[in-house]
Amino acid sequence: MKKIHINEPKSYKGHSLILLLLLNIFDGLITYIGLEFGFYQEMNVLVNNIYNYSSNLFLLIKVIIPTAILILLALNIKDNLSKITKLFIYMANIVYVFIGSYHILLLIQLMYSI
């Protein structure tokens, strides 16, 4: 008798990774804009040093490389993700949601201070 296996839809994996991708891009671009206009200060010492060395290198490391990795990962997922992988993706999304919320609050505060 053939075993019936119910797979999670591929979009499940894709949605989590797409959210992670969008949150990463949002974080990188808002941080870059904030640093360029002088109303943000990068708290990560390593990333701050990279930005001070080259803003283009900052964008490459903070946005472009992670975006490329996430796209390649999403395109190459063929099987169901392990529970630990799902957990890491969810945890990263949660952290990025808090970071994104922080960016939004800073932008609102900036708007009211102008």
Side-chain angles (χ1 to χ4, degrees):
M1 182 170 193
K2 188 173 181 177
K3 184 178 178 182
I4 298 174
H5 188 263
I6 300 173
N7 289 328
E8 295 171 336
K10 189 168 186 164
S11 64
Y12 166 80
K13 294 174 257 185
H15 286 147
S16 298
L17 289 172
I18 289 170
L19 178 61
L20 185 58
L21 173 71
L22 294 175
L23 290 169
N24 176 64
I25 291 170
F26 178 75
D27 173 47
L29 291 178
I30 294 298
T31 301
Y32 176 78
I33 292 167
L35 291 170
E36 283 292 303
F37 287 99
F39 53 84
Y40 270 21
Q41 181 179 358
E42 177 60 56
M43 301 304 286
N44 182 325
V45 176
L46 176 63
V47 175
N48 189 48
N49 287 335
I50 292 169
Y51 176 79
N52 289 331
Y53 177 75
S54 168
S55 59
N56 290 333
L57 182 61
F58 169 85
L59 275 177
L60 179 72
I61 291 172
K62 186 106 171 154
V63 176
I64 297 171
I65 292 173
T67 298
I69 291 170
L70 287 171
I71 288 171
L72 288 173
L73 181 63
L75 293 174
N76 289 308
I77 293 175
K78 293 185 172 55
D79 301 319
N80 287 335
L81 295 173
S82 69
K83 288 182 181 180
I84 192 76
T85 303
K86 290 177 189 176
L87 178 64
F88 280 124
I89 292 170
Y90 287 138
M91 288 171 50
N93 280 331
I94 289 168
V95 168
Y96 268 122
V97 164
F98 282 112
I99 291 171
S101 300
Y102 179 70
H103 282 306
I104 291 168
L105 290 173
L106 286 175
L107 292 172
I108 291 170
Q109 181 182 14
L110 179 68
M111 287 174 22
Y112 282 108
S113 68
I114 294 179

